[in-house]
Structure formats: C-alpha cells, structure tokens
Amino acid sequence: MMFVKRLSISGFRGIPGPFDLEFPSGGKSRSVVIYGANGTGKSSVTDAWEWLTTGRIEHLAREGAEERAYPNVGAEDGKCYVEAEFTDPSVGTVRLTFDSKRITRPVSTGNLAALRALIVHPCHIRYGDLTRFVFFKKAERYDALATLMGFVPQMEYQKALRCVENVLSKDVERLSQLSLTAGERRHKHFGQGVSSEDSLLAVSSISLARGHRIVDSLAAAAAVSDALQKEVEQDPRAAKLAGIKVLMAALAICSAPHLLEGALKAVRGAVEQVRAAQADKAERRLRIPLLSAADEFLAGTTGIGICPLCGKAFDGDLREHVQKELAELKQLKDALDHLAECRSTLSKDLAGLQQLGTSFEKALGSIEPDVDMALLAAVRTAASELDTCVSRVRGLQAFDSSALSDSLTDDLRSEELALPGSCSGFETAKQALLTDALTRSKVLETDPVRVSLVRDAQFVRDGLRLMREERDAVDALAAAQATLEVYGERVSQYVTACLTNVQDRFDEISEQVKQYFSILEKHTPGLGDPKLKLLPDQDRSVVLEVTFHGTSVQPAYKYLSESQLNSFGLAVFLASATHFNPTCRFLILDDVVNSFDSYKRPLLIDLLKGTEDRQVLLMTHDSYWRDLLYRSLPTWKRVRFASYAPGTGPTVLPGRDRLERTADALADDEPDEAARMLAYHMEDLLQEICESFEVELKFNRRNEYTLDTLLDRLRVRAEDKLGGTHALTAALADLYGASSFRNWVAHCKLPAAPLHRTEVQEVLDKWMKIEAAVTCTTDGCGKIVAYDGKSAFCCPCRQKRVEKTTAAGDDG
C-alpha cells in the first residue's frame, strides 16, 4: 500500500514560495487537516495534486484557464513545480516542473508513470464537484459521475464519437438537400414528374430526329451532345455569324479621334496669339528668362546703386528697371506659355492614337465577313483618309515657337477644317456597315433550321449536365448514408458497452455506497438503498434512485434535498476512490463540509473514521467544524493557514484546538480572551455531554442554559447514576463548588469585572479532568460516553465504560 510522506509546492497557483507539507508516519497518524479562511491557498494544494497525478486541472480547463494559469504570478522560470514523496519505493520521489517554453509538456523527474499507473481513479474531490452534481441535468450528471468514478477517458471518447456522428448526420442532411435541389432542376428542364429514364427518352427522341443513335445511358447522351455541338459549330450559318460578330467587334474598337479637333484648334489659336505678341518684341522676348532670373536675384539684395553683375555704380533703381522690362514682355510670355500647354495637349492626344486602318485589319484578321463589300470598302477608305489626315497633323506639331510663319498658321487652319470631315466620313461609313451586319446577323440567327439545331443541342447539353449532377448527388448521398449507418451502429455498440461498464463499476461499489450513504443520512428515517440508473435509450444519461419507506423514488432529486444529493455524490466518490485505488491510499477532501448542515457534519466525521485504512488530507474554512475535527480525530496532524500575503503565500502555523488556544492565551497573560474561549468550549461541550447523559433540565422556553445550570444538572445526574464517590462525580462537584468557578462564571457574564489568570487556569485544569473522564480516547472513536438505559455510560466502540463504583477506590 502506498501513502504520501511529503508534498512540496513552489511557484504554483496561490503558493509562490516553497511549501512543504509533511505527513506523520507510522501507526494511524497519517492524515492531516488544514484549516484556513477562503483565499489563503488551500485549494492550490488540491490543484497541485491534480496536476501532478493527471497532468491537467479540470475545473480550470472548464473555464478556459489552462496551463498558462498554473504558475504563480511571481514564479521564476523553472521554479514552478510540485513534488511528492511516497512510501512505495517503486515510486519514491516524483516531481513535475512547469516549462514556460512548452507549457503543455512539463518536465518530470522520478517515476511519474508508475505513480499515475497506481492512481487509476481520481482521489481528490472539491466542494464544487458536489454542488455541480446536485444541479446537473442527466447528461451533465453522467459527466460528473465520470469524474467521481474515474471513467473520464471513455466518456470523452464517447462524446468525440457522437460529435463525429453528428457531423456525418449533418453531411447526410446537406447531401439530401443537394439531391433534392438537383432533382428539382432536372424536373424544371424536362418537366415535372419526368423520371430519369424518361429524361433519357427525351434526349433519345432528339437524337433520333437528328439522325443519331438511341440514347439509353448517360454515356450515350454525352456522345449525342458532342455530335450536336459539332453540327452547330460546322453549320454554314454559324460560320457566317461568326464572321459578322468578328467584324462588329473590329468596328467597336475603331473610333474617330474627335478630341483631336479641339486640341488642333487650340494650337492654331495659340500660334496666332504668339505671332501677334511677337510683332514688335521678337528680339526682346529672348531676354525673358534672363530678366526673370535677375528679378528673383535682386529680390534678395539691398538697393545700394552697385550692379551685382559688373560691380559698377549706376543711376536709378536696377530692380525697377528689370521689373518694368518684365511687365512689358508679360503678354508675350503668357502667350508662349499658353502655346506650350496647347502643344503638349495635342502631342498627348496624338501619342494615344493608332492607325485606324491597321487596327481594323488586325482585329478582322483573315475573316471575310458576309456583308455588303461596298460598305466594307467604304469603311476601309474612310479609315485610310482619316489616318492620312492624322499623319499630317502629327507632322505639324513639330515647329519652332521662336519662328512662327504664316504658312504654319495656314496649314493648321487647313487641317482644322479637314479633320472633322474625315472623322464624320469614317463614322458614317462605320455606321452603315454596322447596320448591314446587324441586319444580316438577325436573319441568320432567326433562321428556323439553325434555331432548331441550336435549341436541340442546348437542350441535350443542359439536360446531360443536370442528369449528371443529380446522379452524382444521389450517389454521394447513398455513400454518406451507408457510412453513417455503419458508423452509427459501431458507436451504438460502444455506447452500450460503456453503459454496461459504468453500471458494472457502480454495482461493484453499490454496497459501499449504501454503507456510506446510510452513515450520512442516519437521521433521515426510511431513506436508503441509493442506486444509479443508466438510461439505455439515451447517451450519457443517468438518474439517481433511492428507496423511501420501501418505495423506489426515481429520479431521486424529486425527493432528496441538496444536502442529501451531496451525500449521494460523496458516497459515490469515497466508494469509488477506495475500491478502484487499491494501492494508493490517499484522499483529498477540499471543503466538502460546506455541502452539509450542522447535524450532518458529525456524521461526516463518523464516515471519515470508517476510512482509517486511508490517508486523508482534509481542508476546511469552517472554524466550528475544525474544532469538532480536532476533538473527534485527535491523532490527525493539524495545520493552519493563518493568513495570506501576495509574494509570500500562506502563513503556515500548527493547528490548535480550543483548549490549546485557551492555554496559549493564559501563557500570554490574556485571561479575558482565555475565559471567553473556554466558556464557549464548555457551553458547547456541556450541551453535548448533557444530551448523551440524558440530563433533565428545568424548562426554558428560550432554550438558553448557563454554564452553572448545565454543570449543576450534570453533577446531579452523575451522582444519581454513578454515586457520590465516583471520580467523575467528584470532579464535577469539585468544579461546581470551587469559588474560582463561581467567580469566573460571574465574570464571563459581566466582562467589565477583571479576571485573574489563576482563576481561569484553575477552571481549565478542573474542566480537562471532566472532559477526559467522559471522552473515549480509542483511535477511530473519540466519542462522548452516552447513557445505556440502565446504569452505565458507554461510547459507541464499547472500549470506554463509565459505571457506578463497585469497590472502594474502583470506578469505571
């Protein structure tokens, strides 16, 4: 059997620094209880164990916080690890270290594989696991039981199989819709109600009418379609139509350059403006660039009467002289600039033009279109004349603006008059040829023989395509349905096997579940026989069943409370963990007590006592239950997470019960604090002792009893059943009659009165004798003795018996 000797955690989740949890060794003192408020790092211990033993933390994964959430925010690289030392020498010490470079592949040292092979079932449970178990639906509760009973892998595989099945099912639906759509398109083409065979007959009738073979298959239909398409292409009317369409395309790309008219006119006007401005300034215009440069230069000099060019003095303002000259030449300069702009525009327009005749012939190629040849010749002639005109204009653009002659102006005016006529002539000839081509094309396209041939070829070609689409869709659907059927059968077989396996696993632990459940529900009369019922007609569906006063109740949550459902879940977990982990004897219970009320919590302790062959790490933030645990399980090691500070983690101190904390307060000379703590402890325990001794108390409608009343009635009961000489009676009388007790009780009810340490110490000493006399110290018991209905008081294990004195000095 394997137990844990030490658990070390560093840089992991809420524990930044190294934290070592040593487990007592030898005998029965192997279990530990950790007490600490919420947020002090207790659950990080559970997370660390789960990561070490499984490689992941499920509750974080459900929330999308996976491996990157494992290291503490202040953990250095390589300092985030979990280490455990085991009693089994084949496992020894195992460590798992977080690797920031490969966050999904931590570094392991030691025999981690051997450890995980021994822990075949989860041995940790959190409060959240039980609460989810209560409110889950059937499928969700199945998944929760997978965690409680350790069949998560097969459940995940089952879910994955069903996901694939859903994908296949959706694919079948998609292909079914495609098949229907393809059939609708075929019906629209061949007619509603026409079957696939009838569609082939329709194609066959066209084929026979055209002198081809009988069509009895899609292959034959494809051959007929190709033959008809060849007839369409080889039809003389088709060649004529093709030639006409090429001609029309060639004409479409040829257009007269009407924009050139405006550009040419603008150049001619600009030339005339320059010639007018040059009339008396032919020589002076050469000085424009020099004067402009001098004006810019003089703008940055001071007027000192010295020429910047020769360095000699001169009379007057040189800048004024330069500016005057520029002003007189401005009209000429503007005219030259305008001419350059118009000339550039004309040049760009000419650069974008191609020879119309060349473009037309290139587009027409070797085609001899079936059109009026006179009109075609007219187009060619008009294109040639227009190309010649454009060539003359192209030659006129190369002139010297400093020597503009009368002949240039005349030539520009001549071409300006000729160009519109050439453009108009080409457009007229082009439109006439287009009209003739359109007329001839319409005649050819409406020819009944050709229309019939094209229609039949198109009908066969489209029909063949639609029949193929429908065939392919039907074949794909049939293949998908066959795959889905085979796959679904295999999945159903696997699911059935899983359900059988789960039911078998539960049947193995059913008696243990009943035993644990009966302990937790001891005070619920008529409730028992808890069962899991797996529904065979649904995947991952489980209902709970219980017997209530001899009647089966299913589902159990119709009757069971939240606490009772938690009892069911905890019983399943403990039974599974103890049965399916025969070698690893370690259990972690993380705050599971929150699921139970104050009446059921002592029963949970009774349940823990029944697992004395196990090593338990129990965590709680409930101080009342902590004190009950300390008193009921005296051999367990106690650890306290006193506080939590970021960067340092939990402050770890030894766990102290109420009597120990009272003694510590007295040692620190804090009698008031010690008195309050001891009073709380005595009142709590006296009520339990009085109940066990069946003490009769005077009725109090508020059900409030003082220490004085409880102790007095207990003393009377002990004297009545045990005799006045019994040690317990004497101890009770000693405490009840002591002046320190009288004064201490009064002060506890009146805190303003001062207390002395010796008074509280005396009460504490006397009380500890009483508590020891009524409490069984046998391992696994720790109960207060109770009245047996006759004359003695016994504990449940029968190892401690308090009875009336049988001889002098001899008491039970």
Side-chain angles (χ1 to χ4, degrees):
M1 294 187 181
M2 183 178 71
F3 298 96
V4 179
K5 296 172 64 176
R6 175 180 55 84
L7 183 63
S8 298
I9 306 170
S10 176
F12 184 83
R13 300 288 290 154
I15 302 180
F19 165 67
D20 290 333
L21 181 60
E22 301 283 348
F23 289 82
S25 60
K28 298 293 184 179
S29 56
R30 291 187 297 268
S31 296
V32 176
V33 56
I34 298 179
Y35 165 75
N38 287 328
T40 54
K42 300 188 306 299
S43 292
S44 294
V45 178
T46 308
D47 292 343
W49 174 262
E50 183 177 1
W51 185 52
L52 178 67
T53 55
T54 68
R56 59 185 282 117
I57 304 174
E58 289 294 339
H59 76 97
L60 294 180
R62 285 195 296 268
E63 300 299 329
E66 297 186 337
E67 286 81 3
R68 293 191 184 277
Y70 294 174
N72 183 272
V73 291
E76 298 179 10
D77 195 18
K79 298 297 184 180
C80 173
Y81 65 84
V82 178
E83 182 179 278
E85 182 181 358
F86 299 89
T87 58
D88 189 334
S90 66
V91 177
T93 301
V94 175
R95 174 184 283 206
L96 201 61
T97 304
F98 184 84
D99 188 347
S100 60
K101 297 180 181 178
R102 299 184 302 175
I103 62 174
T104 60
R105 299 178 64 183
V107 179
S108 65
T109 56
N111 200 346
L112 181 63
L115 171 65
R116 291 181 176 176
L118 293 176
I119 304 177
V120 297
H121 184 282
C123 52
H124 62 276
I125 188 170
R126 298 176 177 85
Y127 166 69
D129 298 329
L130 292 181
T131 56
R132 288 194 303 273
F133 183 78
V134 171
F135 296 109
F136 275 160
K137 297 178 181 178
K138 289 182 291 185
E140 294 170 328
R141 188 172 289 113
Y142 182 92
D143 296 345
L145 283 170
T147 301
L148 293 176
M149 297 179 64
F151 55 92
V152 171
Q154 68 191 57
M155 180 269 293
E156 292 293 343
Y157 187 59
Q158 177 180 332
K159 290 166 66 175
L161 290 176
R162 284 304 190 195
C163 286
V164 174
E165 186 177 25
N166 289 335
V167 171
L168 292 177
S169 179
K170 290 180 180 179
D171 194 45
V172 167
E173 293 178 3
R174 179 183 63 82
L175 292 174
S176 176
Q177 185 59 46
L178 287 177
S179 177
L180 290 174
T181 303
E184 291 174 357
R185 288 199 298 268
R186 184 184 60 78
H187 285 303
K188 185 177 181 180
H189 183 76
F190 288 101
Q192 291 295 331
V194 177
S195 64
S196 299
E197 292 76 9
D198 292 339
S199 298
L200 288 175
L201 290 175
V203 173
S204 184
S205 63
I206 294 174
S207 176
L208 293 173
R210 291 290 175 184
H212 297 288
R213 57 178 291 187
I214 296 176
V215 175
D216 56 1
S217 66
L218 289 179
V224 170
S225 178
D226 293 341
L228 291 177
Q229 188 61 35
K230 182 177 284 188
E231 288 184 18
V232 170
E233 294 171 356
Q234 294 176 351
D235 182 24
R237 288 172 292 268
K240 291 181 179 180
L241 269 174
I244 291 174
K245 288 181 180 179
V246 171
L247 172 66
M248 293 171 68
L251 290 173
I253 64 173
C254 296
S255 298
H258 293 289
L259 293 177
L260 197 62
E261 300 175 16
L264 182 61
K265 183 178 181 180
V267 170
R268 194 261 307 164
V271 168
E272 292 178 347
Q273 289 179 2
V274 171
R275 293 192 70 224
Q278 283 180 336
D280 58 348
K281 301 180 180 65
E283 295 181 0
R284 295 172 63 191
R285 72 180 184 84
L286 299 176
R287 298 199 297 270
I288 291 176
L290 179 62
L291 290 171
S292 297
D295 182 58
E296 293 179 2
F297 177 78
L298 291 173
T301 63
T302 57
I304 56 175
I306 302 297
C307 178
L309 301 177
C310 63
K312 297 180 179 181
F314 63 89
D315 294 331
D317 189 335
L318 180 60
R319 178 107 188 270
E320 181 179 349
H321 169 69
V322 170
Q323 289 179 341
K324 181 179 179 181
E325 286 292 315
L326 283 173
E328 291 178 359
L329 293 172
K330 184 176 185 305
Q331 181 180 2
L332 176 58
K333 182 178 182 299
D334 291 344
L336 287 171
D337 291 343
H338 178 62
L339 174 59
E341 183 179 348
C342 294
R343 188 177 182 182
S344 175
T345 300
L346 177 62
S347 179
K348 290 179 181 179
D349 289 345
L350 287 170
L353 292 179
Q354 294 182 352
Q355 291 283 328
L356 281 180
T358 302
S359 299
F360 178 72
E361 296 299 338
K362 183 178 180 180
L364 191 61
S366 60
I367 298 295
E368 289 294 334
D370 183 23
V371 293
D372 188 329
M373 299 309 293
L375 295 177
L376 178 60
V379 168
R380 286 171 169 160
T381 301
S384 177
E385 292 177 354
L386 184 55
D387 286 339
T388 302
C389 183
V390 171
S391 296
R392 292 196 301 269
V393 172
R394 199 183 302 276
L396 289 176
Q397 68 173 338
F399 56 84
D400 184 1
S401 60
S402 63
L404 301 175
S405 62
D406 293 340
S407 62
L408 174 63
T409 305
D410 293 341
D411 290 342
L412 289 172
R413 183 179 290 107
S414 176
E415 296 303 329
E416 181 183 339
L417 295 174
L419 183 61
S422 297
C423 289
S424 176
F426 176 77
E427 291 295 341
T428 300
K430 172 184 173 180
Q431 189 58 46
L433 182 57
L434 271 176
T435 301
D436 180 66
L438 286 170
T439 301
R440 292 171 182 269
S441 174
K442 186 175 181 180
V443 171
L444 289 172
E445 287 179 344
T446 56
D447 183 273
V449 177
R450 172 176 170 77
V451 168
S452 175
L453 175 61
V454 171
R455 183 177 61 246
D456 288 348
Q458 182 71 32
F459 183 85
V460 172
R461 183 173 68 251
D462 292 346
L464 175 62
R465 174 177 54 80
L466 294 172
M467 286 188 289
R468 282 173 171 171
E469 288 180 0
E470 184 181 27
R471 178 203 61 188
D472 293 343
V474 170
D475 291 346
L477 175 61
Q481 287 174 331
T483 301
L484 178 61
E485 182 178 355
V486 174
Y487 182 83
E489 183 179 353
R490 299 292 172 82
V491 172
S492 297
Q493 292 173 354
Y494 180 80
V495 170
T496 301
C498 285
L499 293 176
T500 303
N501 177 255
V502 173
Q503 189 65 63
D504 291 343
R505 291 167 71 91
F506 184 76
D507 291 341
E508 287 184 51
I509 61 172
S510 59
E511 290 303 320
Q512 210 166 358
V513 171
K514 292 178 184 179
Q515 176 187 346
Y516 292 154
F517 186 76
S518 64
I519 294 174
L520 292 172
E521 297 303 324
K522 178 180 179 180
H523 300 312
T524 306
L527 180 62
D529 197 20
K531 295 179 182 178
L532 288 178
K533 292 293 185 179
L534 298 173
L535 303 182
D537 58 334
Q538 300 181 41
D539 281 3
R540 300 170 38 246
S541 185
V542 62
V543 295
L544 309 181
E545 178 182 295
V546 293
T547 300
F548 184 58
H549 292 292
T551 302
S552 295
V553 179
Q554 182 190 115
Y557 61 81
K558 287 184 177 181
Y559 171 76
L560 297 185
S561 67
E562 177 182 342
S563 175
Q564 291 165 336
L565 284 170
N566 281 325
S567 297
F568 197 120
L570 185 58
V572 171
F573 166 76
L574 290 175
S576 300
T578 54
H579 180 79
F580 296 116
N581 279 341
T583 302
C584 181
R585 319 297 286 178
F586 186 62
L587 295 174
I588 294 182
L589 304 179
D590 189 352
D591 259 344
V592 295
V593 72
N594 294 339
S595 306
F596 302 112
D597 55 29
S598 59
Y599 292 99
K600 194 175 291 184
R601 292 182 178 187
L603 300 176
L604 179 54
I605 294 178
D606 292 342
L607 183 57
L608 291 175
K609 291 178 179 178
T611 58
E612 63 273 0
D613 62 331
R614 294 278 161 172
Q615 182 184 35
V616 179
L617 173 58
L618 189 148
M619 288 172 275
T620 182
H621 69 270
D622 189 302
S623 60
Y624 176 81
W625 199 53
R626 170 203 62 190
D627 293 334
L628 190 60
L629 285 168
Y630 287 174
R631 190 170 73 243
S632 304
L633 303 170
T635 60
W636 284 32
K637 180 178 178 179
R638 307 164 186 171
V639 177
R640 177 188 174 202
F641 284 6
S643 61
Y644 185 89
T648 59
T651 301
V652 183
L653 299 174
R656 313 282 280 176
D657 62 23
R658 287 186 296 206
L659 292 180
E660 290 171 332
R661 297 197 300 274
T662 301
D664 290 342
L666 289 173
D668 293 336
D669 198 18
E670 296 288 347
D672 290 337
E673 180 181 348
R676 285 192 296 271
M677 200 175 307
L678 182 56
Y680 177 78
H681 177 73
M682 288 177 62
E683 284 191 12
D684 178 36
L685 202 57
L686 272 173
Q687 292 185 63
E688 187 175 344
I689 296 172
C690 287
E691 181 181 9
S692 296
F693 275 55
E694 298 184 10
V695 172
E696 294 183 359
L697 295 172
K698 184 178 180 181
F699 175 72
N700 183 333
R701 62 180 180 146
R702 289 177 298 185
N703 199 30
E704 295 176 355
Y705 300 97
T706 65
L707 281 172
D708 183 78
T709 302
L710 292 170
L711 188 60
D712 178 46
R713 292 297 90 197
L714 179 60
R715 176 185 61 81
V716 172
R717 178 67 167 174
E719 184 177 357
D720 179 48
K721 295 299 181 182
L722 302 176
T725 61
H726 195 279
L728 176 58
T729 305
L732 290 168
D734 184 27
L735 177 58
Y736 184 72
S739 60
S740 59
F741 174 72
R742 321 298 324 162
N743 186 40
W744 178 75
V745 171
H747 285 316
C748 281
K749 303 305 177 186
L750 185 60
L755 281 172
H756 194 274
R757 182 172 60 182
T758 56
E759 291 180 288
V760 182
Q761 185 65 56
E762 183 180 358
V763 175
L764 175 61
D765 294 341
K766 294 180 181 295
W767 170 257
M768 291 180 69
K769 292 181 181 179
I770 297 171
E771 188 171 329
V774 299
T775 305
C776 178
T777 58
T778 303
D779 287 348
C781 183
K783 293 286 189 178
I784 294 173
V785 294
Y787 182 54
D788 64 358
K790 298 178 182 178
S791 59
F793 302 89
C794 298
C795 69
C797 73
R798 301 294 178 180
Q799 295 299 312
K800 185 173 183 67
R801 180 179 178 86
V802 180
E803 56 187 351
K804 194 169 185 178
T805 303
T806 56
D810 180 19
D811 40 75

